[in-house]
Amino acid sequence: MPWDPNPDESSSRPAPSGASPARTRRSVDEEVLEHVSGLRRYALLLVGDPHDADDLVQECLVRVIAQARSWREVNDLRAYLFTTLHNIFVDGHRRRHKHRGDVPIETVIADLLAPPRQQDWVELRDLIAALQVLPKEQREVVLLVGLEGLSYLEAANVLGVPVGTVMSRLSRGREALRRLVTHGATARLRVVK
Amino acid sequence: MNGFGAATARSTVDEGELHALVDGRLPAGRRAAVLAHLLTDGGDRERVEAYRRQLAGLARIRAGLDRYAEGFAPELQQALADTVRRVRRRRLMLRGAAGLVAASLLLLAGFGAVRTWQAEPEAVTAIVYEPEFPLPEFPFGGSLGQTATARPEGDRERSLAWLAGHLRDQTLELPDLRGLGLVPVGGQVLTRGSAPAVRLAWTDGQGRMVDLYVGVVSSDAEQAFTMVGESLVSLHWRRGRLVFALVGPAESPELLQVVQAVIAGIGQGGETVPAGKASGPAPDPRPIRAAAEPVPSAATPTVAPLPEKAAPAADPAPANPVVPVKVDAEKPKSL
């Protein structure tokens, strides 16, 4: 096998920002706050609705803080936070209502962006619209790796799946995005989880 | 295994390597081979370029959402802060309870270990319990007011004298409460608390008990007072090393005057206090917690002054309404 998708990344990449065995309560608070922006960004593109996204982040933070387990057991706080958010998202996915507003969700999200050039705005809106069409399993991987910069192993840990599954979902998700952006959001997707 | 299996049989470069190249995670040793493959495979080259455009788009989205993502809505921040406080308070209470349970278990374990040690010295294992948070002290032991219906059997002067033996820089004087219709009925030394403490009791005209708990604490640790029943009210305050709890009928308006009288007579850094040894810079009696209205300060009394002459009482009260207690601070006395 020419390439190992599951390398020992500790030797080639810096440790996750949350890794600190001797973590204190105060530093945990500060670290949690550091990751709130990433959680909100990820949640917004994951659920496609700012209010649902904030509800998701809020529930995630409350659940993490309320955990009875010792903070010292958490070696990678970022992965822990994203894992918790993923679990809440999966648990509540069925009951969570879809965006029912008159304005398309890609426009809602694109309006939250800092004002880009018109051409950029159109491209970003198309990309956001395509993301919303992806199956959620593929969307999660594409966002974790492409948006938040998690390694394949970190994404696998967050989602609770093998690294091979992450690679498979990433490949299918990116290919689906490519087709959607190229042929428009009306292109039909074959849902493969 | 990289998740693509037979789909990658078309080339020595598999699908995972293409994505690793896009994500910048391809090992340097494979980079040349993958790039060479892209020179010969136009389809893969087109896909890789498209994936890179996706990444660039996500990067622009990420940058564009910075202002949104960092501006956590104020109401959410407030809700989160409230939740954090509530959760922490509950966790502290649970940990405190767990600490008490653990301490009890350790006592039992220690007792068992001692017995084991007496039989087999090699079997002793040291167990060290280090609570994460300092546990509060309970100067008066069990729940206040539990003995509200029982008259203390001891003598109040003797109890107070015993307590005074634990004081070094404060005076103790029994207040005369007969003007408030309270008749002294006795006192007792409390042995179940974390500090030397006494209970002094009075009864009102209806036979209801008013208890004053006084303790001498030796540390700055948080002092915990247990709750009383619904029909009772408890007023707590601290002055220097002295902690107080006054327990009486909830509807009794005289309790605040009792507090004032107690403050005037007990725990003052009075004339007998050597200069510089008083625990506080100036008398400033502030109740730690009051279930009723705030207690007026001694400087601005809002209640009628106590009568100078004692009213007739059924209980044979001493001629001198205020009983000074000499403080022999060096050695605590035992009853």
Side-chain angles (χ1 to χ4, degrees), chain A residues 25-54:
Chain A
R25 174 179 294 273
R26 176 176 294 277
S27 70
V28 165
D29 291 348
E30 293 169 353
E31 288 181 35
V32 168
L33 291 179
E34 286 177 5
H35 295 298
V36 168
S37 295
L39 291 171
R40 291 191 80 208
R41 188 170 49 222
Y42 172 66
L44 175 65
L45 292 172
L46 188 63
V47 303
D49 181 274
H51 299 293
D52 284 349
D54 277 346

PDB file of all heavy atoms in Angstrom, chain A residues 25-54:
ATOM      1  N   ARG A  25      -9.117  23.853  35.612  1.00  0.00           N
ATOM      2  CA  ARG A  25     -10.480  24.265  35.337  1.00  0.00           C
ATOM      3  C   ARG A  25     -10.503  25.587  34.578  1.00  0.00           C
ATOM      4  O   ARG A  25     -11.228  25.760  33.616  1.00  0.00           O
ATOM      5  CB  ARG A  25     -11.234  24.390  36.650  1.00  0.00           C
ATOM      6  CG  ARG A  25     -12.629  24.959  36.469  1.00  0.00           C
ATOM      7  CD  ARG A  25     -13.310  25.028  37.792  1.00  0.00           C
ATOM      8  NE  ARG A  25     -13.540  23.707  38.329  1.00  0.00           N
ATOM      9  CZ  ARG A  25     -14.598  22.981  38.051  1.00  0.00           C
ATOM     10  NH1 ARG A  25     -15.505  23.450  37.232  1.00  0.00           N
ATOM     11  NH2 ARG A  25     -14.758  21.785  38.561  1.00  0.00           N
ATOM     12  N   ARG A  26      -9.705  26.520  34.985  1.00  0.00           N
ATOM     13  CA  ARG A  26      -9.724  27.819  34.340  1.00  0.00           C
ATOM     14  C   ARG A  26      -9.289  27.693  32.887  1.00  0.00           C
ATOM     15  O   ARG A  26      -9.884  28.256  31.985  1.00  0.00           O
ATOM     16  CB  ARG A  26      -8.798  28.774  35.095  1.00  0.00           C
ATOM     17  CG  ARG A  26      -8.693  30.142  34.432  1.00  0.00           C
ATOM     18  CD  ARG A  26      -7.846  31.066  35.294  1.00  0.00           C
ATOM     19  NE  ARG A  26      -8.500  31.357  36.554  1.00  0.00           N
ATOM     20  CZ  ARG A  26      -9.415  32.300  36.710  1.00  0.00           C
ATOM     21  NH1 ARG A  26      -9.781  33.026  35.683  1.00  0.00           N
ATOM     22  NH2 ARG A  26      -9.946  32.519  37.884  1.00  0.00           N
ATOM     23  N   SER A  27      -8.234  26.938  32.632  1.00  0.00           N
ATOM     24  CA  SER A  27      -7.767  26.838  31.264  1.00  0.00           C
ATOM     25  C   SER A  27      -8.785  26.119  30.394  1.00  0.00           C
ATOM     26  O   SER A  27      -8.885  26.391  29.204  1.00  0.00           O
ATOM     27  CB  SER A  27      -6.428  26.117  31.228  1.00  0.00           C
ATOM     28  OG  SER A  27      -6.590  24.751  31.550  1.00  0.00           O
ATOM     29  N   VAL A  28      -9.546  25.216  30.979  1.00  0.00           N
ATOM     30  CA  VAL A  28     -10.583  24.530  30.211  1.00  0.00           C
ATOM     31  C   VAL A  28     -11.628  25.522  29.747  1.00  0.00           C
ATOM     32  O   VAL A  28     -12.055  25.521  28.595  1.00  0.00           O
ATOM     33  CB  VAL A  28     -11.231  23.422  31.058  1.00  0.00           C
ATOM     34  CG1 VAL A  28     -12.527  22.958  30.417  1.00  0.00           C
ATOM     35  CG2 VAL A  28     -10.283  22.258  31.204  1.00  0.00           C
ATOM     36  N   ASP A  29     -12.032  26.403  30.658  1.00  0.00           N
ATOM     37  CA  ASP A  29     -13.006  27.414  30.268  1.00  0.00           C
ATOM     38  C   ASP A  29     -12.492  28.233  29.091  1.00  0.00           C
ATOM     39  O   ASP A  29     -13.206  28.499  28.137  1.00  0.00           O
ATOM     40  CB  ASP A  29     -13.299  28.342  31.457  1.00  0.00           C
ATOM     41  CG  ASP A  29     -14.048  27.611  32.551  1.00  0.00           C
ATOM     42  OD1 ASP A  29     -14.516  26.498  32.278  1.00  0.00           O
ATOM     43  OD2 ASP A  29     -14.151  28.157  33.648  1.00  0.00           O
ATOM     44  N   GLU A  30     -11.258  28.644  29.197  1.00  0.00           N
ATOM     45  CA  GLU A  30     -10.699  29.468  28.137  1.00  0.00           C
ATOM     46  C   GLU A  30     -10.617  28.687  26.832  1.00  0.00           C
ATOM     47  O   GLU A  30     -10.887  29.213  25.753  1.00  0.00           O
ATOM     48  CB  GLU A  30      -9.322  29.970  28.557  1.00  0.00           C
ATOM     49  CG  GLU A  30      -9.392  30.947  29.742  1.00  0.00           C
ATOM     50  CD  GLU A  30      -8.025  31.229  30.318  1.00  0.00           C
ATOM     51  OE1 GLU A  30      -7.058  30.574  29.885  1.00  0.00           O
ATOM     52  OE2 GLU A  30      -7.928  32.091  31.202  1.00  0.00           O
ATOM     53  N   GLU A  31     -10.239  27.420  26.928  1.00  0.00           N
ATOM     54  CA  GLU A  31     -10.125  26.617  25.717  1.00  0.00           C
ATOM     55  C   GLU A  31     -11.490  26.392  25.079  1.00  0.00           C
ATOM     56  O   GLU A  31     -11.613  26.398  23.852  1.00  0.00           O
ATOM     57  CB  GLU A  31      -9.477  25.280  26.046  1.00  0.00           C
ATOM     58  CG  GLU A  31      -7.990  25.387  26.353  1.00  0.00           C
ATOM     59  CD  GLU A  31      -7.396  24.039  26.656  1.00  0.00           C
ATOM     60  OE1 GLU A  31      -7.822  23.053  26.043  1.00  0.00           O
ATOM     61  OE2 GLU A  31      -6.513  23.962  27.522  1.00  0.00           O
ATOM     62  N   VAL A  32     -12.490  26.162  25.909  1.00  0.00           N
ATOM     63  CA  VAL A  32     -13.835  25.970  25.362  1.00  0.00           C
ATOM     64  C   VAL A  32     -14.253  27.208  24.581  1.00  0.00           C
ATOM     65  O   VAL A  32     -14.771  27.118  23.465  1.00  0.00           O
ATOM     66  CB  VAL A  32     -14.842  25.673  26.490  1.00  0.00           C
ATOM     67  CG1 VAL A  32     -16.269  25.776  25.974  1.00  0.00           C
ATOM     68  CG2 VAL A  32     -14.598  24.284  27.055  1.00  0.00           C
ATOM     69  N   LEU A  33     -14.007  28.367  25.155  1.00  0.00           N
ATOM     70  CA  LEU A  33     -14.394  29.598  24.472  1.00  0.00           C
ATOM     71  C   LEU A  33     -13.646  29.754  23.156  1.00  0.00           C
ATOM     72  O   LEU A  33     -14.173  30.307  22.192  1.00  0.00           O
ATOM     73  CB  LEU A  33     -14.131  30.795  25.391  1.00  0.00           C
ATOM     74  CG  LEU A  33     -15.040  30.883  26.611  1.00  0.00           C
ATOM     75  CD1 LEU A  33     -14.675  32.083  27.477  1.00  0.00           C
ATOM     76  CD2 LEU A  33     -16.498  30.991  26.191  1.00  0.00           C
ATOM     77  N   GLU A  34     -12.418  29.267  23.118  1.00  0.00           N
ATOM     78  CA  GLU A  34     -11.646  29.370  21.880  1.00  0.00           C
ATOM     79  C   GLU A  34     -12.297  28.593  20.743  1.00  0.00           C
ATOM     80  O   GLU A  34     -12.136  28.939  19.578  1.00  0.00           O
ATOM     81  CB  GLU A  34     -10.226  28.845  22.107  1.00  0.00           C
ATOM     82  CG  GLU A  34      -9.343  29.785  22.924  1.00  0.00           C
ATOM     83  CD  GLU A  34      -7.980  29.163  23.176  1.00  0.00           C
ATOM     84  OE1 GLU A  34      -7.729  28.077  22.645  1.00  0.00           O
ATOM     85  OE2 GLU A  34      -7.197  29.773  23.907  1.00  0.00           O
ATOM     86  N   HIS A  35     -13.017  27.542  21.075  1.00  0.00           N
ATOM     87  CA  HIS A  35     -13.574  26.684  20.044  1.00  0.00           C
ATOM     88  C   HIS A  35     -15.022  27.032  19.702  1.00  0.00           C
ATOM     89  O   HIS A  35     -15.597  26.397  18.818  1.00  0.00           O
ATOM     90  CB  HIS A  35     -13.497  25.221  20.490  1.00  0.00           C
ATOM     91  CG  HIS A  35     -12.085  24.724  20.641  1.00  0.00           C
ATOM     92  ND1 HIS A  35     -11.205  24.679  19.587  1.00  0.00           N
ATOM     93  CD2 HIS A  35     -11.410  24.270  21.723  1.00  0.00           C
ATOM     94  CE1 HIS A  35     -10.036  24.208  20.018  1.00  0.00           C
ATOM     95  NE2 HIS A  35     -10.134  23.967  21.306  1.00  0.00           N
ATOM     96  N   VAL A  36     -15.585  28.004  20.392  1.00  0.00           N
ATOM     97  CA  VAL A  36     -16.990  28.327  20.137  1.00  0.00           C
ATOM     98  C   VAL A  36     -17.183  28.829  18.707  1.00  0.00           C
ATOM     99  O   VAL A  36     -18.150  28.469  18.031  1.00  0.00           O
ATOM    100  CB  VAL A  36     -17.482  29.370  21.158  1.00  0.00           C
ATOM    101  CG1 VAL A  36     -18.828  29.939  20.731  1.00  0.00           C
ATOM    102  CG2 VAL A  36     -17.606  28.730  22.530  1.00  0.00           C
ATOM    103  N   SER A  37     -16.240  29.633  18.232  1.00  0.00           N
ATOM    104  CA  SER A  37     -16.380  30.162  16.871  1.00  0.00           C
ATOM    105  C   SER A  37     -16.403  29.021  15.858  1.00  0.00           C
ATOM    106  O   SER A  37     -17.235  29.006  14.944  1.00  0.00           O
ATOM    107  CB  SER A  37     -15.224  31.118  16.570  1.00  0.00           C
ATOM    108  OG  SER A  37     -15.287  32.246  17.404  1.00  0.00           O
ATOM    109  N   GLY A  38     -15.490  28.084  15.998  1.00  0.00           N
ATOM    110  CA  GLY A  38     -15.459  26.955  15.075  1.00  0.00           C
ATOM    111  C   GLY A  38     -16.736  26.130  15.148  1.00  0.00           C
ATOM    112  O   GLY A  38     -17.259  25.677  14.121  1.00  0.00           O
ATOM    113  N   LEU A  39     -17.231  25.949  16.351  1.00  0.00           N
ATOM    114  CA  LEU A  39     -18.468  25.185  16.517  1.00  0.00           C
ATOM    115  C   LEU A  39     -19.633  25.883  15.824  1.00  0.00           C
ATOM    116  O   LEU A  39     -20.455  25.249  15.162  1.00  0.00           O
ATOM    117  CB  LEU A  39     -18.766  24.984  18.011  1.00  0.00           C
ATOM    118  CG  LEU A  39     -17.840  24.057  18.781  1.00  0.00           C
ATOM    119  CD1 LEU A  39     -18.140  24.134  20.278  1.00  0.00           C
ATOM    120  CD2 LEU A  39     -17.993  22.622  18.302  1.00  0.00           C
ATOM    121  N   ARG A  40     -19.708  27.189  15.997  1.00  0.00           N
ATOM    122  CA  ARG A  40     -20.820  27.924  15.380  1.00  0.00           C
ATOM    123  C   ARG A  40     -20.732  27.885  13.854  1.00  0.00           C
ATOM    124  O   ARG A  40     -21.720  27.707  13.152  1.00  0.00           O
ATOM    125  CB  ARG A  40     -20.805  29.385  15.847  1.00  0.00           C
ATOM    126  CG  ARG A  40     -21.154  29.573  17.293  1.00  0.00           C
ATOM    127  CD  ARG A  40     -21.376  31.037  17.576  1.00  0.00           C
ATOM    128  NE  ARG A  40     -22.699  31.471  17.156  1.00  0.00           N
ATOM    129  CZ  ARG A  40     -22.984  32.708  16.781  1.00  0.00           C
ATOM    130  NH1 ARG A  40     -22.050  33.622  16.731  1.00  0.00           N
ATOM    131  NH2 ARG A  40     -24.204  33.037  16.437  1.00  0.00           N
ATOM    132  N   ARG A  41     -19.529  28.063  13.356  1.00  0.00           N
ATOM    133  CA  ARG A  41     -19.327  28.046  11.910  1.00  0.00           C
ATOM    134  C   ARG A  41     -19.709  26.680  11.335  1.00  0.00           C
ATOM    135  O   ARG A  41     -20.431  26.573  10.347  1.00  0.00           O
ATOM    136  CB  ARG A  41     -17.852  28.374  11.648  1.00  0.00           C
ATOM    137  CG  ARG A  41     -17.461  28.585  10.223  1.00  0.00           C
ATOM    138  CD  ARG A  41     -16.058  29.145  10.179  1.00  0.00           C
ATOM    139  NE  ARG A  41     -15.153  28.363  11.029  1.00  0.00           N
ATOM    140  CZ  ARG A  41     -14.231  28.890  11.824  1.00  0.00           C
ATOM    141  NH1 ARG A  41     -14.098  30.181  11.897  1.00  0.00           N
ATOM    142  NH2 ARG A  41     -13.437  28.127  12.541  1.00  0.00           N
ATOM    143  N   TYR A  42     -19.206  25.656  11.985  1.00  0.00           N
ATOM    144  CA  TYR A  42     -19.483  24.288  11.526  1.00  0.00           C
ATOM    145  C   TYR A  42     -20.974  23.987  11.642  1.00  0.00           C
ATOM    146  O   TYR A  42     -21.588  23.431  10.719  1.00  0.00           O
ATOM    147  CB  TYR A  42     -18.661  23.317  12.369  1.00  0.00           C
ATOM    148  CG  TYR A  42     -18.964  21.862  12.144  1.00  0.00           C
ATOM    149  CD1 TYR A  42     -18.680  21.243  10.928  1.00  0.00           C
ATOM    150  CD2 TYR A  42     -19.526  21.089  13.156  1.00  0.00           C
ATOM    151  CE1 TYR A  42     -18.955  19.902  10.734  1.00  0.00           C
ATOM    152  CE2 TYR A  42     -19.797  19.751  12.975  1.00  0.00           C
ATOM    153  CZ  TYR A  42     -19.510  19.155  11.764  1.00  0.00           C
ATOM    154  OH  TYR A  42     -19.788  17.826  11.574  1.00  0.00           O
ATOM    155  N   ALA A  43     -21.566  24.367  12.751  1.00  0.00           N
ATOM    156  CA  ALA A  43     -22.984  24.078  12.961  1.00  0.00           C
ATOM    157  C   ALA A  43     -23.854  24.812  11.953  1.00  0.00           C
ATOM    158  O   ALA A  43     -24.849  24.269  11.466  1.00  0.00           O
ATOM    159  CB  ALA A  43     -23.393  24.459  14.391  1.00  0.00           C
ATOM    160  N   LEU A  44     -23.477  26.037  11.628  1.00  0.00           N
ATOM    161  CA  LEU A  44     -24.286  26.806  10.673  1.00  0.00           C
ATOM    162  C   LEU A  44     -24.334  26.117   9.313  1.00  0.00           C
ATOM    163  O   LEU A  44     -25.400  25.967   8.713  1.00  0.00           O
ATOM    164  CB  LEU A  44     -23.707  28.212  10.530  1.00  0.00           C
ATOM    165  CG  LEU A  44     -24.379  29.097   9.475  1.00  0.00           C
ATOM    166  CD1 LEU A  44     -25.824  29.379   9.863  1.00  0.00           C
ATOM    167  CD2 LEU A  44     -23.619  30.401   9.294  1.00  0.00           C
ATOM    168  N   LEU A  45     -23.181  25.685   8.845  1.00  0.00           N
ATOM    169  CA  LEU A  45     -23.152  25.032   7.542  1.00  0.00           C
ATOM    170  C   LEU A  45     -23.684  23.603   7.622  1.00  0.00           C
ATOM    171  O   LEU A  45     -24.058  23.030   6.612  1.00  0.00           O
ATOM    172  CB  LEU A  45     -21.723  25.034   7.000  1.00  0.00           C
ATOM    173  CG  LEU A  45     -21.217  26.435   6.632  1.00  0.00           C
ATOM    174  CD1 LEU A  45     -19.744  26.413   6.298  1.00  0.00           C
ATOM    175  CD2 LEU A  45     -22.014  26.986   5.458  1.00  0.00           C
ATOM    176  N   LEU A  46     -23.698  23.059   8.801  1.00  0.00           N
ATOM    177  CA  LEU A  46     -24.201  21.682   8.950  1.00  0.00           C
ATOM    178  C   LEU A  46     -25.725  21.657   8.931  1.00  0.00           C
ATOM    179  O   LEU A  46     -26.332  20.843   8.237  1.00  0.00           O
ATOM    180  CB  LEU A  46     -23.678  21.084  10.259  1.00  0.00           C
ATOM    181  CG  LEU A  46     -23.932  19.597  10.499  1.00  0.00           C
ATOM    182  CD1 LEU A  46     -23.210  18.759   9.445  1.00  0.00           C
ATOM    183  CD2 LEU A  46     -23.466  19.196  11.891  1.00  0.00           C
ATOM    184  N   VAL A  47     -26.337  22.539   9.700  1.00  0.00           N
ATOM    185  CA  VAL A  47     -27.798  22.503   9.812  1.00  0.00           C
ATOM    186  C   VAL A  47     -28.469  23.515   8.892  1.00  0.00           C
ATOM    187  O   VAL A  47     -29.656  23.400   8.614  1.00  0.00           O
ATOM    188  CB  VAL A  47     -28.257  22.741  11.267  1.00  0.00           C
ATOM    189  CG1 VAL A  47     -27.639  21.735  12.177  1.00  0.00           C
ATOM    190  CG2 VAL A  47     -27.908  24.148  11.730  1.00  0.00           C
ATOM    191  N   GLY A  48     -27.719  24.525   8.442  1.00  0.00           N
ATOM    192  CA  GLY A  48     -28.246  25.437   7.451  1.00  0.00           C
ATOM    193  C   GLY A  48     -29.173  26.506   7.981  1.00  0.00           C
ATOM    194  O   GLY A  48     -29.799  27.204   7.201  1.00  0.00           O
ATOM    195  N   ASP A  49     -29.267  26.651   9.272  1.00  0.00           N
ATOM    196  CA  ASP A  49     -30.153  27.674   9.832  1.00  0.00           C
ATOM    197  C   ASP A  49     -29.458  28.298  11.038  1.00  0.00           C
ATOM    198  O   ASP A  49     -29.044  27.584  11.959  1.00  0.00           O
ATOM    199  CB  ASP A  49     -31.486  27.050  10.264  1.00  0.00           C
ATOM    200  CG  ASP A  49     -32.427  28.112  10.820  1.00  0.00           C
ATOM    201  OD1 ASP A  49     -32.342  28.406  12.033  1.00  0.00           O
ATOM    202  OD2 ASP A  49     -33.230  28.642  10.050  1.00  0.00           O
ATOM    203  N   PRO A  50     -29.301  29.611  11.039  1.00  0.00           N
ATOM    204  CA  PRO A  50     -28.564  30.245  12.137  1.00  0.00           C
ATOM    205  C   PRO A  50     -29.152  29.954  13.513  1.00  0.00           C
ATOM    206  O   PRO A  50     -28.415  29.741  14.476  1.00  0.00           O
ATOM    207  CB  PRO A  50     -28.645  31.739  11.800  1.00  0.00           C
ATOM    208  CG  PRO A  50     -28.899  31.804  10.337  1.00  0.00           C
ATOM    209  CD  PRO A  50     -29.719  30.597  10.013  1.00  0.00           C
ATOM    210  N   HIS A  51     -30.463  29.929  13.611  1.00  0.00           N
ATOM    211  CA  HIS A  51     -31.075  29.706  14.924  1.00  0.00           C
ATOM    212  C   HIS A  51     -30.880  28.256  15.369  1.00  0.00           C
ATOM    213  O   HIS A  51     -30.553  27.986  16.530  1.00  0.00           O
ATOM    214  CB  HIS A  51     -32.559  30.066  14.877  1.00  0.00           C
ATOM    215  CG  HIS A  51     -32.813  31.496  14.537  1.00  0.00           C
ATOM    216  ND1 HIS A  51     -32.465  32.522  15.379  1.00  0.00           N
ATOM    217  CD2 HIS A  51     -33.355  32.083  13.443  1.00  0.00           C
ATOM    218  CE1 HIS A  51     -32.787  33.687  14.819  1.00  0.00           C
ATOM    219  NE2 HIS A  51     -33.328  33.440  13.644  1.00  0.00           N
ATOM    220  N   ASP A  52     -31.101  27.336  14.437  1.00  0.00           N
ATOM    221  CA  ASP A  52     -30.864  25.935  14.783  1.00  0.00           C
ATOM    222  C   ASP A  52     -29.393  25.699  15.116  1.00  0.00           C
ATOM    223  O   ASP A  52     -29.062  24.904  15.996  1.00  0.00           O
ATOM    224  CB  ASP A  52     -31.288  25.024  13.630  1.00  0.00           C
ATOM    225  CG  ASP A  52     -32.798  24.878  13.553  1.00  0.00           C
ATOM    226  OD1 ASP A  52     -33.472  25.306  14.508  1.00  0.00           O
ATOM    227  OD2 ASP A  52     -33.290  24.353  12.543  1.00  0.00           O
ATOM    228  N   ALA A  53     -28.523  26.400  14.385  1.00  0.00           N
ATOM    229  CA  ALA A  53     -27.087  26.233  14.630  1.00  0.00           C
ATOM    230  C   ALA A  53     -26.728  26.704  16.029  1.00  0.00           C
ATOM    231  O   ALA A  53     -25.986  26.031  16.758  1.00  0.00           O
ATOM    232  CB  ALA A  53     -26.286  27.002  13.584  1.00  0.00           C
ATOM    233  N   ASP A  54     -27.251  27.853  16.423  1.00  0.00           N
ATOM    234  CA  ASP A  54     -26.945  28.348  17.768  1.00  0.00           C
ATOM    235  C   ASP A  54     -27.557  27.449  18.836  1.00  0.00           C
ATOM    236  O   ASP A  54     -26.971  27.245  19.904  1.00  0.00           O
ATOM    237  CB  ASP A  54     -27.447  29.784  17.921  1.00  0.00           C
ATOM    238  CG  ASP A  54     -26.459  30.788  17.352  1.00  0.00           C
ATOM    239  OD1 ASP A  54     -25.310  30.386  17.096  1.00  0.00           O
ATOM    240  OD2 ASP A  54     -26.827  31.955  17.158  1.00  0.00           O
TER     241      ASP A  54
END
